[in-house]
mmCIF file with all atom_site columns, all heavy atoms in Angstrom:
data_model
loop_
_atom_site.group_PDB
_atom_site.id
_atom_site.type_symbol
_atom_site.label_atom_id
_atom_site.label_alt_id
_atom_site.label_comp_id
_atom_site.label_asym_id
_atom_site.label_entity_id
_atom_site.label_seq_id
_atom_site.pdbx_PDB_ins_code
_atom_site.Cartn_x
_atom_site.Cartn_y
_atom_site.Cartn_z
_atom_site.occupancy
_atom_site.B_iso_or_equiv
_atom_site.pdbx_formal_charge
_atom_site.auth_seq_id
_atom_site.auth_comp_id
_atom_site.auth_asym_id
_atom_site.auth_atom_id
_atom_site.pdbx_PDB_model_num
ATOM 1   N N   . VAL A 1 260 ? 18.277 -17.843 -11.534 1.00 0.00 ? 260 VAL A N   1
ATOM 2   C CA  . VAL A 1 260 ? 18.480 -16.764 -12.500 1.00 0.00 ? 260 VAL A CA  1
ATOM 3   C C   . VAL A 1 260 ? 17.402 -15.704 -12.285 1.00 0.00 ? 260 VAL A C   1
ATOM 4   O O   . VAL A 1 260 ? 16.249 -16.029 -11.989 1.00 0.00 ? 260 VAL A O   1
ATOM 5   C CB  . VAL A 1 260 ? 18.422 -17.306 -13.944 1.00 0.00 ? 260 VAL A CB  1
ATOM 6   C CG1 . VAL A 1 260 ? 18.405 -16.167 -14.971 1.00 0.00 ? 260 VAL A CG1 1
ATOM 7   C CG2 . VAL A 1 260 ? 19.614 -18.227 -14.204 1.00 0.00 ? 260 VAL A CG2 1
ATOM 8   N N   . VAL A 1 261 ? 17.796 -14.442 -12.424 1.00 0.00 ? 261 VAL A N   1
ATOM 9   C CA  . VAL A 1 261 ? 16.846 -13.334 -12.343 1.00 0.00 ? 261 VAL A CA  1
ATOM 10  C C   . VAL A 1 261 ? 17.036 -12.458 -13.570 1.00 0.00 ? 261 VAL A C   1
ATOM 11  O O   . VAL A 1 261 ? 18.151 -11.977 -13.835 1.00 0.00 ? 261 VAL A O   1
ATOM 12  C CB  . VAL A 1 261 ? 17.064 -12.483 -11.070 1.00 0.00 ? 261 VAL A CB  1
ATOM 13  C CG1 . VAL A 1 261 ? 16.067 -11.321 -11.036 1.00 0.00 ? 261 VAL A CG1 1
ATOM 14  C CG2 . VAL A 1 261 ? 16.930 -13.340 -9.815  1.00 0.00 ? 261 VAL A CG2 1
ATOM 15  N N   . PHE A 1 262 ? 15.964 -12.259 -14.327 1.00 0.00 ? 262 PHE A N   1
ATOM 16  C CA  . PHE A 1 262 ? 15.981 -11.291 -15.422 1.00 0.00 ? 262 PHE A CA  1
ATOM 17  C C   . PHE A 1 262 ? 15.495 -9.951  -14.867 1.00 0.00 ? 262 PHE A C   1
ATOM 18  O O   . PHE A 1 262 ? 14.467 -9.897  -14.182 1.00 0.00 ? 262 PHE A O   1
ATOM 19  C CB  . PHE A 1 262 ? 15.089 -11.750 -16.577 1.00 0.00 ? 262 PHE A CB  1
ATOM 20  C CG  . PHE A 1 262 ? 15.616 -12.939 -17.317 1.00 0.00 ? 262 PHE A CG  1
ATOM 21  C CD1 . PHE A 1 262 ? 14.871 -14.110 -17.424 1.00 0.00 ? 262 PHE A CD1 1
ATOM 22  C CD2 . PHE A 1 262 ? 16.871 -12.904 -17.907 1.00 0.00 ? 262 PHE A CD2 1
ATOM 23  C CE1 . PHE A 1 262 ? 15.361 -15.208 -18.105 1.00 0.00 ? 262 PHE A CE1 1
ATOM 24  C CE2 . PHE A 1 262 ? 17.374 -14.004 -18.588 1.00 0.00 ? 262 PHE A CE2 1
ATOM 25  C CZ  . PHE A 1 262 ? 16.624 -15.157 -18.692 1.00 0.00 ? 262 PHE A CZ  1
ATOM 26  N N   . THR A 1 263 ? 16.204 -8.893  -15.160 1.00 0.00 ? 263 THR A N   1
ATOM 27  C CA  . THR A 1 263 ? 15.893 -7.601  -14.561 1.00 0.00 ? 263 THR A CA  1
ATOM 28  C C   . THR A 1 263 ? 15.098 -6.718  -15.529 1.00 0.00 ? 263 THR A C   1
ATOM 29  O O   . THR A 1 263 ? 15.087 -6.963  -16.743 1.00 0.00 ? 263 THR A O   1
ATOM 30  C CB  . THR A 1 263 ? 17.169 -6.847  -14.161 1.00 0.00 ? 263 THR A CB  1
ATOM 31  O OG1 . THR A 1 263 ? 17.742 -6.217  -15.324 1.00 0.00 ? 263 THR A OG1 1
ATOM 32  C CG2 . THR A 1 263 ? 18.200 -7.784  -13.536 1.00 0.00 ? 263 THR A CG2 1
ATOM 33  N N   . PRO A 1 264 ? 14.459 -5.662  -15.011 1.00 0.00 ? 264 PRO A N   1
ATOM 34  C CA  . PRO A 1 264 ? 13.732 -4.736  -15.887 1.00 0.00 ? 264 PRO A CA  1
ATOM 35  C C   . PRO A 1 264 ? 14.633 -3.916  -16.812 1.00 0.00 ? 264 PRO A C   1
ATOM 36  O O   . PRO A 1 264 ? 14.125 -3.168  -17.640 1.00 0.00 ? 264 PRO A O   1
ATOM 37  C CB  . PRO A 1 264 ? 13.003 -3.814  -14.891 1.00 0.00 ? 264 PRO A CB  1
ATOM 38  C CG  . PRO A 1 264 ? 12.976 -4.565  -13.610 1.00 0.00 ? 264 PRO A CG  1
ATOM 39  C CD  . PRO A 1 264 ? 14.231 -5.369  -13.597 1.00 0.00 ? 264 PRO A CD  1
ATOM 40  N N   . TRP A 1 265 ? 15.952 -4.051  -16.663 1.00 0.00 ? 265 TRP A N   1
ATOM 41  C CA  . TRP A 1 265 ? 16.886 -3.333  -17.540 1.00 0.00 ? 265 TRP A CA  1
ATOM 42  C C   . TRP A 1 265 ? 17.456 -4.267  -18.604 1.00 0.00 ? 265 TRP A C   1
ATOM 43  O O   . TRP A 1 265 ? 18.471 -3.984  -19.219 1.00 0.00 ? 265 TRP A O   1
ATOM 44  C CB  . TRP A 1 265 ? 17.991 -2.719  -16.684 1.00 0.00 ? 265 TRP A CB  1
ATOM 45  C CG  . TRP A 1 265 ? 17.390 -1.906  -15.568 1.00 0.00 ? 265 TRP A CG  1
ATOM 46  C CD1 . TRP A 1 265 ? 16.827 -0.661  -15.663 1.00 0.00 ? 265 TRP A CD1 1
ATOM 47  C CD2 . TRP A 1 265 ? 17.222 -2.334  -14.212 1.00 0.00 ? 265 TRP A CD2 1
ATOM 48  N NE1 . TRP A 1 265 ? 16.328 -0.278  -14.445 1.00 0.00 ? 265 TRP A NE1 1
ATOM 49  C CE2 . TRP A 1 265 ? 16.548 -1.281  -13.526 1.00 0.00 ? 265 TRP A CE2 1
ATOM 50  C CE3 . TRP A 1 265 ? 17.562 -3.487  -13.504 1.00 0.00 ? 265 TRP A CE3 1
ATOM 51  C CZ2 . TRP A 1 265 ? 16.224 -1.359  -12.175 1.00 0.00 ? 265 TRP A CZ2 1
ATOM 52  C CZ3 . TRP A 1 265 ? 17.229 -3.569  -12.156 1.00 0.00 ? 265 TRP A CZ3 1
ATOM 53  C CH2 . TRP A 1 265 ? 16.578 -2.506  -11.510 1.00 0.00 ? 265 TRP A CH2 1
ATOM 54  N N   . ARG A 1 266 ? 16.766 -5.385  -18.795 1.00 0.00 ? 266 ARG A N   1
ATOM 55  C CA  . ARG A 1 266 ? 17.136 -6.385  -19.812 1.00 0.00 ? 266 ARG A CA  1
ATOM 56  C C   . ARG A 1 266 ? 18.544 -6.935  -19.573 1.00 0.00 ? 266 ARG A C   1
ATOM 57  O O   . ARG A 1 266 ? 19.325 -7.123  -20.494 1.00 0.00 ? 266 ARG A O   1
ATOM 58  C CB  . ARG A 1 266 ? 17.003 -5.790  -21.217 1.00 0.00 ? 266 ARG A CB  1
ATOM 59  C CG  . ARG A 1 266 ? 15.578 -5.347  -21.552 1.00 0.00 ? 266 ARG A CG  1
ATOM 60  C CD  . ARG A 1 266 ? 15.492 -4.815  -22.976 1.00 0.00 ? 266 ARG A CD  1
ATOM 61  N NE  . ARG A 1 266 ? 14.121 -4.479  -23.343 1.00 0.00 ? 266 ARG A NE  1
ATOM 62  C CZ  . ARG A 1 266 ? 13.557 -3.297  -23.159 1.00 0.00 ? 266 ARG A CZ  1
ATOM 63  N NH1 . ARG A 1 266 ? 14.260 -2.322  -22.606 1.00 0.00 ? 266 ARG A NH1 1
ATOM 64  N NH2 . ARG A 1 266 ? 12.315 -3.067  -23.512 1.00 0.00 ? 266 ARG A NH2 1
ATOM 65  N N   . THR A 1 267 ? 18.852 -7.146  -18.299 1.00 0.00 ? 267 THR A N   1
ATOM 66  C CA  . THR A 1 267 ? 20.091 -7.805  -17.911 1.00 0.00 ? 267 THR A CA  1
ATOM 67  C C   . THR A 1 267 ? 19.729 -9.097  -17.182 1.00 0.00 ? 267 THR A C   1
ATOM 68  O O   . THR A 1 267 ? 18.559 -9.375  -16.904 1.00 0.00 ? 267 THR A O   1
ATOM 69  C CB  . THR A 1 267 ? 20.962 -6.911  -17.013 1.00 0.00 ? 267 THR A CB  1
ATOM 70  O OG1 . THR A 1 267 ? 20.289 -6.682  -15.759 1.00 0.00 ? 267 THR A OG1 1
ATOM 71  C CG2 . THR A 1 267 ? 21.235 -5.569  -17.685 1.00 0.00 ? 267 THR A CG2 1
ATOM 72  N N   . VAL A 1 268 ? 20.746 -9.882  -16.863 1.00 0.00 ? 268 VAL A N   1
ATOM 73  C CA  . VAL A 1 268 ? 20.511 -11.158 -16.215 1.00 0.00 ? 268 VAL A CA  1
ATOM 74  C C   . VAL A 1 268 ? 21.453 -11.308 -15.023 1.00 0.00 ? 268 VAL A C   1
ATOM 75  O O   . VAL A 1 268 ? 22.624 -10.900 -15.084 1.00 0.00 ? 268 VAL A O   1
ATOM 76  C CB  . VAL A 1 268 ? 20.697 -12.332 -17.217 1.00 0.00 ? 268 VAL A CB  1
ATOM 77  C CG1 . VAL A 1 268 ? 22.102 -12.354 -17.796 1.00 0.00 ? 268 VAL A CG1 1
ATOM 78  C CG2 . VAL A 1 268 ? 20.361 -13.661 -16.558 1.00 0.00 ? 268 VAL A CG2 1
ATOM 79  N N   . LEU A 1 269 ? 20.918 -11.868 -13.939 1.00 0.00 ? 269 LEU A N   1
ATOM 80  C CA  . LEU A 1 269 ? 21.717 -12.193 -12.762 1.00 0.00 ? 269 LEU A CA  1
ATOM 81  C C   . LEU A 1 269 ? 21.726 -13.703 -12.582 1.00 0.00 ? 269 LEU A C   1
ATOM 82  O O   . LEU A 1 269 ? 20.667 -14.354 -12.644 1.00 0.00 ? 269 LEU A O   1
ATOM 83  C CB  . LEU A 1 269 ? 21.131 -11.551 -11.500 1.00 0.00 ? 269 LEU A CB  1
ATOM 84  C CG  . LEU A 1 269 ? 20.958 -10.030 -11.469 1.00 0.00 ? 269 LEU A CG  1
ATOM 85  C CD1 . LEU A 1 269 ? 20.342 -9.594  -10.142 1.00 0.00 ? 269 LEU A CD1 1
ATOM 86  C CD2 . LEU A 1 269 ? 22.282 -9.327  -11.687 1.00 0.00 ? 269 LEU A CD2 1
ATOM 87  N N   . VAL A 1 270 ? 22.901 -14.260 -12.364 1.00 0.00 ? 270 VAL A N   1
ATOM 88  C CA  . VAL A 1 270 ? 23.036 -15.674 -12.006 1.00 0.00 ? 270 VAL A CA  1
ATOM 89  C C   . VAL A 1 270 ? 23.524 -15.694 -10.563 1.00 0.00 ? 270 VAL A C   1
ATOM 90  O O   . VAL A 1 270 ? 24.599 -15.169 -10.256 1.00 0.00 ? 270 VAL A O   1
ATOM 91  C CB  . VAL A 1 270 ? 24.026 -16.407 -12.928 1.00 0.00 ? 270 VAL A CB  1
ATOM 92  C CG1 . VAL A 1 270 ? 24.009 -17.896 -12.637 1.00 0.00 ? 270 VAL A CG1 1
ATOM 93  C CG2 . VAL A 1 270 ? 23.684 -16.156 -14.389 1.00 0.00 ? 270 VAL A CG2 1
ATOM 94  N N   . CYS A 1 271 ? 22.731 -16.282 -9.690  1.00 0.00 ? 271 CYS A N   1
ATOM 95  C CA  . CYS A 1 271 ? 22.908 -16.070 -8.249  1.00 0.00 ? 271 CYS A CA  1
ATOM 96  C C   . CYS A 1 271 ? 23.413 -17.315 -7.513  1.00 0.00 ? 271 CYS A C   1
ATOM 97  O O   . CYS A 1 271 ? 23.372 -18.434 -8.029  1.00 0.00 ? 271 CYS A O   1
ATOM 98  C CB  . CYS A 1 271 ? 21.577 -15.642 -7.633  1.00 0.00 ? 271 CYS A CB  1
ATOM 99  S SG  . CYS A 1 271 ? 20.768 -14.261 -8.470  1.00 0.00 ? 271 CYS A SG  1
ATOM 100 N N   . ASP A 1 272 ? 23.893 -17.046 -6.291  1.00 0.00 ? 272 ASP A N   1
ATOM 101 C CA  . ASP A 1 272 ? 24.238 -18.085 -5.310  1.00 0.00 ? 272 ASP A CA  1
ATOM 102 C C   . ASP A 1 272 ? 25.359 -18.999 -5.783  1.00 0.00 ? 272 ASP A C   1
ATOM 103 O O   . ASP A 1 272 ? 25.382 -20.203 -5.494  1.00 0.00 ? 272 ASP A O   1
ATOM 104 C CB  . ASP A 1 272 ? 23.003 -18.933 -4.961  1.00 0.00 ? 272 ASP A CB  1
ATOM 105 C CG  . ASP A 1 272 ? 21.866 -18.103 -4.380  1.00 0.00 ? 272 ASP A CG  1
ATOM 106 O OD1 . ASP A 1 272 ? 22.116 -16.977 -3.908  1.00 0.00 ? 272 ASP A OD1 1
ATOM 107 O OD2 . ASP A 1 272 ? 20.711 -18.582 -4.418  1.00 0.00 ? 272 ASP A OD2 1
ATOM 108 N N   . LEU A 1 273 ? 26.338 -18.440 -6.505  1.00 0.00 ? 273 LEU A N   1
ATOM 109 C CA  . LEU A 1 273 ? 27.468 -19.214 -6.999  1.00 0.00 ? 273 LEU A CA  1
ATOM 110 C C   . LEU A 1 273 ? 28.603 -19.225 -5.987  1.00 0.00 ? 273 LEU A C   1
ATOM 111 O O   . LEU A 1 273 ? 28.810 -18.257 -5.246  1.00 0.00 ? 273 LEU A O   1
ATOM 112 C CB  . LEU A 1 273 ? 27.979 -18.626 -8.317  1.00 0.00 ? 273 LEU A CB  1
ATOM 113 C CG  . LEU A 1 273 ? 26.980 -18.504 -9.466  1.00 0.00 ? 273 LEU A CG  1
ATOM 114 C CD1 . LEU A 1 273 ? 27.612 -17.744 -10.622 1.00 0.00 ? 273 LEU A CD1 1
ATOM 115 C CD2 . LEU A 1 273 ? 26.504 -19.878 -9.914  1.00 0.00 ? 273 LEU A CD2 1
ATOM 116 N N   . THR A 1 274 ? 29.375 -20.302 -5.951  1.00 0.00 ? 274 THR A N   1
ATOM 117 C CA  . THR A 1 274 ? 30.640 -20.264 -5.224  1.00 0.00 ? 274 THR A CA  1
ATOM 118 C C   . THR A 1 274 ? 31.632 -19.440 -6.033  1.00 0.00 ? 274 THR A C   1
ATOM 119 O O   . THR A 1 274 ? 31.454 -19.227 -7.242  1.00 0.00 ? 274 THR A O   1
ATOM 120 C CB  . THR A 1 274 ? 31.203 -21.673 -5.011  1.00 0.00 ? 274 THR A CB  1
ATOM 121 O OG1 . THR A 1 274 ? 31.545 -22.232 -6.298  1.00 0.00 ? 274 THR A OG1 1
ATOM 122 C CG2 . THR A 1 274 ? 30.194 -22.570 -4.310  1.00 0.00 ? 274 THR A CG2 1
ATOM 123 N N   . GLU A 1 275 ? 32.667 -18.967 -5.399  1.00 0.00 ? 275 GLU A N   1
ATOM 124 C CA  . GLU A 1 275 ? 33.674 -18.182 -6.123  1.00 0.00 ? 275 GLU A CA  1
ATOM 125 C C   . GLU A 1 275 ? 34.304 -18.992 -7.243  1.00 0.00 ? 275 GLU A C   1
ATOM 126 O O   . GLU A 1 275 ? 34.580 -18.458 -8.326  1.00 0.00 ? 275 GLU A O   1
ATOM 127 C CB  . GLU A 1 275 ? 34.747 -17.685 -5.149  1.00 0.00 ? 275 GLU A CB  1
ATOM 128 C CG  . GLU A 1 275 ? 34.266 -16.614 -4.186  1.00 0.00 ? 275 GLU A CG  1
ATOM 129 C CD  . GLU A 1 275 ? 35.408 -15.970 -3.422  1.00 0.00 ? 275 GLU A CD  1
ATOM 130 O OE1 . GLU A 1 275 ? 36.586 -16.400 -3.626  1.00 0.00 ? 275 GLU A OE1 1
ATOM 131 O OE2 . GLU A 1 275 ? 35.151 -15.050 -2.637  1.00 0.00 ? 275 GLU A OE2 1
ATOM 132 N N   . GLU A 1 276 ? 34.531 -20.276 -6.995  1.00 0.00 ? 276 GLU A N   1
ATOM 133 C CA  . GLU A 1 276 ? 35.172 -21.112 -8.006  1.00 0.00 ? 276 GLU A CA  1
ATOM 134 C C   . GLU A 1 276 ? 34.270 -21.253 -9.238  1.00 0.00 ? 276 GLU A C   1
ATOM 135 O O   . GLU A 1 276 ? 34.733 -21.108 -10.382 1.00 0.00 ? 276 GLU A O   1
ATOM 136 C CB  . GLU A 1 276 ? 35.487 -22.499 -7.433  1.00 0.00 ? 276 GLU A CB  1
ATOM 137 C CG  . GLU A 1 276 ? 36.534 -22.509 -6.336  1.00 0.00 ? 276 GLU A CG  1
ATOM 138 C CD  . GLU A 1 276 ? 36.028 -22.023 -4.996  1.00 0.00 ? 276 GLU A CD  1
ATOM 139 O OE1 . GLU A 1 276 ? 34.781 -21.913 -4.827  1.00 0.00 ? 276 GLU A OE1 1
ATOM 140 O OE2 . GLU A 1 276 ? 36.870 -21.742 -4.110  1.00 0.00 ? 276 GLU A OE2 1
ATOM 141 N N   . VAL A 1 277 ? 32.993 -21.507 -9.023  1.00 0.00 ? 277 VAL A N   1
ATOM 142 C CA  . VAL A 1 277 ? 32.063 -21.645 -10.143 1.00 0.00 ? 277 VAL A CA  1
ATOM 143 C C   . VAL A 1 277 ? 31.881 -20.318 -10.856 1.00 0.00 ? 277 VAL A C   1
ATOM 144 O O   . VAL A 1 277 ? 31.831 -20.256 -12.092 1.00 0.00 ? 277 VAL A O   1
ATOM 145 C CB  . VAL A 1 277 ? 30.701 -22.196 -9.651  1.00 0.00 ? 277 VAL A CB  1
ATOM 146 C CG1 . VAL A 1 277 ? 29.653 -22.130 -10.764 1.00 0.00 ? 277 VAL A CG1 1
ATOM 147 C CG2 . VAL A 1 277 ? 30.857 -23.625 -9.158  1.00 0.00 ? 277 VAL A CG2 1
#
Side-chain angles (χ1 to χ4, degrees):
V260 171
V261 179
F262 290 122
T263 80
W265 308 284
R266 299 182 176 90
T267 65
V268 60
L269 302 179
V270 187
C271 309
D272 301 341
L273 303 173
T274 66
E275 290 191 358
E276 294 76 14
V277 171

